[in-house]
Every structure is written in structure tokens, then in C-alpha cells.
Amino acid sequence: MWTWLHKLGSPKIFYNLANRLIPWFGWGALLLMLYGLYGGLVQAPADYQQGDSFRIMYIHVPAAWMSLFIYMVIAFCSAVYLIWKITLADIIARASAPIGASFTFLALVTGSLWGKPMWGTYWIWDARLTSELLLLFIYLGYMGLGSAIEDRRVAARACALLAIVCVVIIPIIHYSVTWWNTLHQGSSVSVMNQSSIDKSMLVPLLVMAFAFKFYYVAVVLVRARTDLLFQERKTNWVRKVLVNG
Amino acid sequence: MNAFFALLKRDLLLAYRNRGELANPMLFFVIVVSLFPLAVSPESDRLSGMAAGVIWVAALLATLLSIERIFRSDFDDGTLEQILLSPRPLPLLMLAKVTAHWLVTGLPLIIVSPLLALLMHLPAEALGTLMLTLLLGTPVLSLVGAIGVALTIGLRRGGMLLTLLVLPLYTPVLIFGANAVQAVTLGLEVAGQLYLMAAILVFALTLAPLAIGAALRVSVS
């Protein structure tokens, strides 16, 4: 187990693995997305209350899930980096940040488009919207700190520390805005209890969630691969890779 | 503990020798608040409705404006490296620095806040709560802000970045602080908000010095 993990941490082996995995996850994401969008936009029945406009949920909800999931990945990689000094963990955390910020932005935009027909306004200072907005700021701060520090190793440690500080504070922010003000509908999907959403609507939603995850893995591997080649540009194996194409 | 008091004394003495700078955050606080009646409306009901929020936002910005000074001069003249090399526990020393900073900038804000409450027509019964929330909240602002400064101290132009890093983390304190004062003016019970702010303060007092120390070790290397 541990030797396998150590092998994975070696840049060369990771590079080859990423090369092999990217097409699988990329095509997987595309197929799942096509199926999920067909199921969500065409097959699923219209909502009895919200009509057809609920269909934006198939983008909005998975994007919101991803925004949190990717932050957790960043925080986990940051902890791994600070403890074991595995450069690859830093590369993955840093490669994830712009994707996470994009998903957060997507969740905010689709949410506000959904809010217009439902609540009659594009933006309200609701708890979930506010905490999502603050999450976007945290992503931007993380990326800003990373790009402001020139020395890559210092930047890596500073970013990892920031990610961990923020992950401690995020729950506090989340609950403070929840107690402050909420209008957003409660969660309809739950693992433990019976979901309060019909199967014909739920299945495409879960498919879309997996499509987004696959998409994330594919993109993060592409970004990490590029960054890895740049970081390791002075080593022999990169020279070989670049010469042989 | 000796190291803690030695550093605290040194920082307070330094602040006292630069008395001119001492008043700046307080002046900023007063000026920002006095802009609101000019910009929004001088009517007393509208002012008293937003007094809590305005005073809290101004306190937050005043802290943010002054927080960089906590490590700037020590970083520039190399004292910070000596502090990091010291065999004393770093979190304790960081706590001393933050305490000194709070005594110099946070405490004056609390002292001057009754005046601002008067300017903003805050109902008299809310004044006690306002000062109490500031007392519980401003140390958290200093502690969390110091983490941001520690991360950005090595950068040439860290000011804007510091704002971006720290402001989202300030929101819980802002929400509970302004909310408690607002609730008192409506005659509601505010013990809940105050307990939460106290909990956040204890939490920050325990963990923030560790984070500040770790961040400084990254930045100063």
C-alpha cells in the first residue's frame, strides 16, 4: 500500500499514469454528461411547482457540490503537502483551485438565473448564496496568494497553510450565514434518508454529479501534467519525454 | 511567560514612541462613520437603523488598515528573524504581538465607539451591547488579520491581497457583532450571539497564534 503510494508520488510515474487516465475520464465525462443532460432536460417530467425552470438544477446542484468537493481536495492535498512534503500534492492543489473557482462561479450564475423566475430576483442575500460567494472569494484569495509569491516552494507552503486555515473557518462562516438569513430551499437529496425527490429526476442529477467529477479529474490531470513538466523541466525524464514527443 | 511580557512591553513602548501613528486607526474609524450621514441621510430613524452595521464595518476596516503594521517594521529591520530564532515558544510570542497590536488599535476603537453611537443616533440601551461585541470581536479581527499579514509580509505589494485573504474570514464576527446590536435595539435577547462571539474569540485565541507562527516561518525564510 505505502510503496504504491510512494510510487504514485514520483513525478515520472504520475505523468505516465495521468497520460493513461486522461482519455478515460475525459470521454467518461462527455458520455455521462450527454446521458445526464438528456435525462434531465428531455426525459424527466416537469416539476409540479416550478415547471420546466427546475431543469437548471442539473447544472446548478452538481456545480455547487463540486465547489465544496474541490475545496476539500485542496485542503487534503495541502495537509499532505505540509506533512510529507510531497510536491505532487501541491501541484494537484494548485491545479484544482481555478477549476473549483469556476464551478463556484457557475453555481452562483445558474443559481441567480434560477432565482429570477422562482424568487423574482437575480440576487438575494440568502445564506447559501452568501456562503457560496464567500467561498468564491476564498478561492480567489488562494489563487492570488499563489501567484503573488514568486518562489514556488514558499508559495506552495503559504498556500497550503492558507487552505488549512480557511478549511477551519469555512464551517463557521457557513453556519453564521445560515443563522443569519435563509430563504434557499433545503437539501432534497440525502444519502441516509429517503430523498424527497422523484427517481426520474434524481437519476439524471446523480449522473450529472458523476459527469462533473469525471470532468474535474480529467482537467486537473491535464493541468497537473503541464505544471509537472514545467516544475521538473531540468530533469532527464522530462527531456526524454519532450524529445520523443 | 517572561518572554511574553517582555515582547508586549517592547511593542507598547515602540507604539508609545510613535504616538503620531497611534491615532490614525481611530481617526479613520470616526471619519468613515461620519461619512454615512452625509452620503445616506441625516434623518435619525434611518441612521439608527443602520448604526450597528456601519460602526461594525468601520471598525473592521480600521483594523484591516492598521493590521499590516503588526509585523511590517519588525520584518524590515530584521527583528522578526530574531523572534523566529528565539528558543521561546513561538505561538506565545505571536500572542504577545497580537495583544500589543490590539491594545494599541482595538481598544481605542472601543473607547471611541460611544461617541460614534451618539453620532449615528444609536438607541442608548444598545450602547452597552455595542461595546461588548466590539470587545469580543476586535481581538478576533486582530488575530485573524495577523495570519493574513504573516502570509503576505514578504510581498512587495501585499495590501490588496491581504484584503482579499482576510475579509471573507472576518464575516462571522461581523455578522454576529452587528446582529447582536441590531437585536438589542429591537428589544430581543442577545445572549446567543454574545456566547457565539465569545466562543469564536476563545477558538481564535487558541489556534490563531499557531497559524501565525507557522505562516511567519514560511514567509521569513
Side-chain angles (χ1 to χ4, degrees):
Chain A
M1 173 73 188
W2 287 111
T3 47
W4 180 78
L5 266 183
H6 275 278
K7 263 193 190 164
L8 193 62
S10 120
K12 193 175 161 186
I13 291 173
F14 175 81
Y15 180 82
N16 290 329
L17 188 70
N19 270 347
R20 262 184 289 146
L21 288 181
I22 287 168
W24 287 100
F25 279 100
W27 287 107
L30 187 68
L31 292 178
L32 283 172
M33 218 174 276
L34 285 176
Y35 176 72
L37 283 178
Y38 177 73
L41 299 185
V42 182
Q43 271 187 332
D47 189 75
Y48 78 101
Q49 244 183 346
Q50 307 193 350
D52 276 331
S53 62
F54 90 97
R55 294 183 197 278
I56 201 168
M57 169 183 88
Y58 292 108
I59 307 292
H60 173 70
V61 174
W65 282 342
M66 288 309 288
S67 67
L68 283 172
F69 173 77
I70 294 178
Y71 198 84
M72 289 303 136
V73 172
I74 292 177
F76 177 75
C77 287
S78 301
V80 168
Y81 179 75
L82 280 186
I83 297 168
W84 290 294
K85 297 273 176 289
I86 298 173
T87 327
L88 199 60
D90 167 56
I91 289 179
I92 289 181
R94 300 284 290 283
S96 301
I99 312 172
S102 318
F103 274 122
T104 317
F105 185 67
L106 186 65
L108 279 170
V109 169
T110 53
S112 101
L113 289 177
W114 193 4
K116 185 63 183 169
M118 289 304 115
W119 299 329
T121 168
Y122 285 114
W123 183 263
I124 43 161
W125 287 98
D126 163 72
R128 288 211 188 182
L129 278 79
T130 314
S131 56
E132 195 74 7
L133 184 67
L134 290 172
L135 183 65
L136 181 65
F137 289 155
I138 288 176
Y139 269 121
L140 294 180
Y142 177 87
M143 283 153 61
L145 184 68
S147 58
I149 304 177
E150 274 171 28
D151 185 336
R152 175 69 191 219
R153 294 181 59 129
V154 177
R157 288 169 64 200
C159 281
L161 202 64
L162 178 70
I164 288 171
V165 168
C166 287
V167 92
V168 172
I169 299 182
I170 281 175
I172 304 180
I173 296 180
H174 179 75
Y175 283 108
S176 66
V177 291
T178 306
W179 287 326
W180 172 59
N181 192 3
T182 196
L183 181 72
H184 197 287
Q185 54 180 301
S187 182
S188 328
V189 183
S190 155
V191 184
M192 297 298 166
N193 305 317
Q194 187 86 38
S195 295
S196 67
I197 176 174
D198 190 68
K199 221 176 181 180
S200 59
M201 293 182 182
L202 179 63
V203 171
L205 181 63
L206 294 181
V207 171
M208 283 304 285
F210 275 103
F212 276 32
K213 286 230 161 60
F214 273 51
Y215 171 82
Y216 161 66
V217 174
V219 176
V220 86
L221 286 178
V222 171
R223 290 180 55 88
R225 187 175 66 173
T226 316
D227 196 16
L228 193 69
L229 286 183
F230 182 71
Q231 296 300 320
E232 303 266 319
R233 61 191 177 279
K234 296 203 175 109
T235 58
N236 267 329
W237 72 268
V238 171
R239 207 161 288 157
K240 265 186 209 150
V241 166
L242 293 182
V243 168
N244 299 336
Chain B
M1 257 351 237
N2 279 338
F4 176 87
F5 286 113
L7 191 56
L8 185 64
K9 207 174 131 196
R10 167 188 172 272
D11 273 18
L12 290 179
L13 193 65
L14 272 176
Y16 181 70
R17 295 273 158 80
N18 288 319
R19 281 184 292 267
E21 277 184 36
L22 269 181
N24 284 347
M26 207 162 69
L27 274 179
F28 177 83
F29 186 46
V30 175
I31 289 171
V32 166
V33 171
S34 60
L35 288 179
F36 277 84
L38 303 179
V40 183
S41 139
E43 289 165 45
S44 71
D45 359 327
R46 289 189 65 184
L47 280 183
S48 65
M50 48 179 218
V54 168
I55 293 175
W56 252 100
V57 169
L60 197 147
L61 292 178
T63 313
L64 195 64
L65 194 74
S66 65
I67 193 74
E68 214 202 344
R69 284 224 315 268
I70 188 172
F71 294 129
R72 175 52 65 193
S73 62
D74 284 354
F75 178 78
D76 287 343
D77 66 13
T79 316
L80 203 56
E81 282 172 28
Q82 299 304 317
I83 293 178
L84 288 178
L85 289 173
S86 133
R88 313 280 173 191
L90 188 59
L92 195 69
L93 299 178
M94 291 302 114
L95 196 59
K97 291 224 52 107
V98 175
T99 312
H101 179 265
W102 178 77
L103 285 174
V104 169
T105 60
L107 200 57
L109 298 188
I110 301 173
I111 294 169
V112 81
S113 63
L115 177 69
L116 296 178
L118 192 77
L119 288 179
M120 293 294 290
H121 296 281
L122 190 76
E125 67 269 16
L127 182 59
T129 316
L130 175 69
M131 292 180 78
L132 194 57
T133 54
L134 284 173
L135 186 66
L136 289 171
T138 45
V140 179
L141 301 184
S142 292
L143 283 163
V144 174
I147 303 178
V149 178
L151 283 171
T152 53
I153 192 76
L155 302 176
R156 281 279 146 258
R157 279 163 296 150
M160 270 317 286
L161 188 61
L162 178 67
T163 316
L164 186 60
L165 291 187
V166 166
L167 276 186
L169 309 183
Y170 275 176
T171 45
V173 180
L174 179 71
I175 287 174
F176 290 128
N179 195 296
V181 182
Q182 207 97 58
V184 161
T185 54
L186 299 174
L188 300 173
E189 186 60 40
V190 289
Q193 281 96 322
L194 294 180
Y195 285 142
L196 274 167
M197 290 190 78
I200 293 178
L201 174 60
V202 172
F203 187 64
L205 270 177
T206 338
L207 290 184
L210 295 172
I212 301 168
L216 276 182
R217 284 206 197 281
V218 173
S219 295
V220 185
S221 51

